[in-house]
Amino acid sequence: MKVVFAGTPEFAAVALRALHEAGFEIPLVLTQPDRPAGRGMQLQASAVKQYALAHGMPVAQPLSLRMDAKDPERAAQARAAHEQLQSIDYDVMVVAAYGLILPRSTLDIRPCINIHGSLLPRWRGAAPIHRAIESGDRETGVTIMEMEEGLDTGPMLTMERLPIEASDTTGSLHDKLAALGGRMIVEALRKMQAGELTAVPQPDEGVTYAAKIGKEEAKLDFSLPADVLARKVRAFNPFPGANGVVDGVAVKFWSAEAVDGRGAPGAVLQADAGGIVVACGEGALRLNELQKPGGKRLKAAEFLKGFSLAGLTFN
């Protein structure tokens, strides 16, 4: 079976590796253009591109796949990509966190199936892992689905569930779901080859949308309940990193838990080796791992050695 693969970040690279190691022929890999990254803002290839080039796979990086794009360069690149896909002998396109919209013209060339990190129809959209943790979901999973023009609305081919542990962050859950998705897509394609896959429409009930995470969401509002803030800390780890301001200094929070406590929201109730306890709208938040600007992530005991919180509040 010949598979065209479209994806960009590490979540997708795990799936690409699984397909490659399972012996599927991959005549083309689509990924987003290189982006500036790091302190030096040097152009950096996506995780998918890095894996593809390391294993001799052809790579294309169009700015868009929409041939009707208003920008001439985007439209030209889309036409070139469309012609390339039409000229290639392949059976199916597998898409995972690609980041570009696949228009009808692309979907019509060959079957397109998607690896999505949620239990559809819950958490359609860009940030299903973040939103599942932030909302306090007890489980999530991976859905393999047929693609159509709607946002993650296509019929489901297979689904597996995964519990969300109390200690899970977006980073740890991402890795679990990526591994699950890699295994599932290999199994799904083998079943497709054998004619054993059946598409099931998504239910109309239970639809939610996982909006893209904005950096402005990372600032914690201590008037909210502590359990809500604890989930946000986990959901925004590693990106964009939950934070608060102490005496004008933005401090990032990497690990926190809800505890008993009462006081004016943002007031420091306790600060010792056991953590920094900050009053919230309901209960209190114990901050266990923090980071000052330009510094390293530190346990509370180490953080307090260079930061006096006496009389200060978080806001």
Side-chain angles (χ1 to χ4, degrees), residues 239-253:
F239 176 84
N243 65 75
V245 178
V246 187
D247 194 27
V249 177
V251 176
K252 282 192 173 182
F253 314 132

Side-chain angles (χ1 to χ4, degrees), residues 122-123 131-140 164 231 234:
R122 185 162 179 79
W123 301 129
R131 299 305 181 191
I133 292 177
E134 183 185 18
S135 296
D137 291 4
R138 295 191 175 187
E139 65 174 2
T140 185
I164 299 178
R231 293 199 302 267
R234 291 166 49 218

Side-chain angles (χ1 to χ4, degrees), residues 119-170:
L119 301 174
L120 292 171
R122 185 162 179 79
W123 301 129
R124 295 172 178 171
I129 303 175
H130 296 80
R131 299 305 181 191
I133 292 177
E134 183 185 18
S135 296
D137 291 4
R138 295 191 175 187
E139 65 174 2
T140 185
V142 170
T143 305
I144 308 294
M145 54 172 279
E146 293 181 353
M147 295 189 70
E148 55 184 32
E149 288 185 280
L151 179 63
D152 299 325
T153 58
M156 302 179 293
L157 298 170
T158 183
M159 174 189 291
E160 287 195 29
R161 298 174 181 272
L162 185 75
I164 299 178
E165 306 294 342
S167 59
D168 269 327
T169 64
T170 286

Side-chain angles (χ1 to χ4, degrees), residues 264-300:
V268 177
L269 305 180
Q270 180 182 334
D272 54 31
I276 301 168
V277 180
V278 183
C280 302
E282 293 179 16
L285 190 69
R286 176 183 286 127
L287 302 169
N288 299 316
E289 189 176 9
L290 307 92
Q291 181 180 14
K292 291 177 284 189
K296 298 180 180 179
R297 293 167 57 163
L298 300 172
K299 297 296 184 182

